[in-house]
Amino acid sequence: MVAPNRPKTGTGSAVDWYSAVFELIDMRSFSNLWYWIALAAVWSQASRYVLGVPYDMIQRAERNGGQAEADMEELVRINCNRLLYVAGVSGLWLIGIGAMLVTMLALLGFYYDMEFAQAVFLLGVPMIAVGGLSVHTAGVIRDQALDGRPLRRLMRRHRTLTQFIGMLAIFVTALWGMYQNMTYGALGQ
């Protein structure tokens, strides 16, 4: 006689729950849709905000002038002063801690072959470049006391460079992700 199907109790249902959660939050980052969504969101936000100023505000200042331009210039001044203050007060600490983290991610990812560390490295290192570019641009704005058209031109150039870094980063990440998926995806690791 065949035993009737009974619902699983005890650890069987817990194991199924854990496996479902860990399947959703897969540590194999390059085969996970959430990683690619996060990558797109990070670069979308990085190119939308130029030194903390929404790009549509820069466009509105160029079209309308007057109060819109004064608001944009004031917001640029506030964000540049804040960014340069943080860089001046704790810049060396941030560089040291950042170098340690990048080195750790590079070693874990590419020497010890940990895919999650590779994914974070490929997401973080280009953002560090954008951060350095932002500090440089903020310094130029403050030192030259830019306003009006020269300020808007520099902000557009900063956004274009950020978008170029983002396109390059997404391209390299996509190539590395395809390589990882073709190499290790077939092995089932």
Side-chain angles (χ1 to χ4, degrees), residues 58 75 106 167:
I58 298 168
L75 191 54
M167 287 188 313

Side-chain angles (χ1 to χ4, degrees), residues 40-157:
V42 163
W43 285 109
S44 172
Q45 288 291 44
S47 67
R48 184 185 180 317
Y49 290 97
V50 183
L51 296 177
V53 179
Y55 190 68
D56 63 289
M57 188 176 211
I58 298 168
Q59 291 174 320
R60 190 173 44 241
E62 187 163 8
R63 276 193 315 267
N64 302 337
Q67 187 61 43
E69 187 163 24
D71 291 345
M72 187 262 317
E73 289 173 356
E74 190 64 23
L75 191 54
V76 168
R77 185 190 62 77
I78 291 168
N79 286 335
C80 287
N81 287 341
R82 180 184 56 87
L83 185 62
L84 292 172
Y85 174 77
V86 169
V89 169
S90 56
L92 290 177
W93 281 101
L94 290 173
I95 290 171
I97 291 170
M100 179 196 66
L101 290 174
V102 166
T103 303
M104 180 186 71
L105 287 172
L107 285 173
L108 285 173
F110 299 104
Y111 184 76
Y112 291 109
D113 204 28
M114 184 182 290
E115 188 173 318
F116 184 73
Q118 292 172 3
V120 174
F121 179 88
L122 290 172
L123 185 64
V125 168
M127 291 305 295
I128 291 172
V130 170
L133 179 65
S134 296
V135 170
H136 173 73
T137 304
V140 168
I141 290 170
R142 186 180 67 183
D143 293 344
Q144 296 180 8
L146 294 178
D147 61 354
R149 187 173 184 177
L151 175 62
R152 290 192 311 269
R153 186 171 45 245
L154 183 62
M155 298 289 276
R156 276 195 305 273
R157 188 173 9 167

Side-chain angles (χ1 to χ4, degrees), residues 18-34:
Y18 284 126
S19 65
V21 167
F22 284 114
E23 185 176 322
L24 180 65
I25 306 170
D26 188 9
M27 294 305 265
R28 290 202 58 242
S29 301
F30 298 115
S31 62
N32 192 335
L33 178 63
W34 292 109

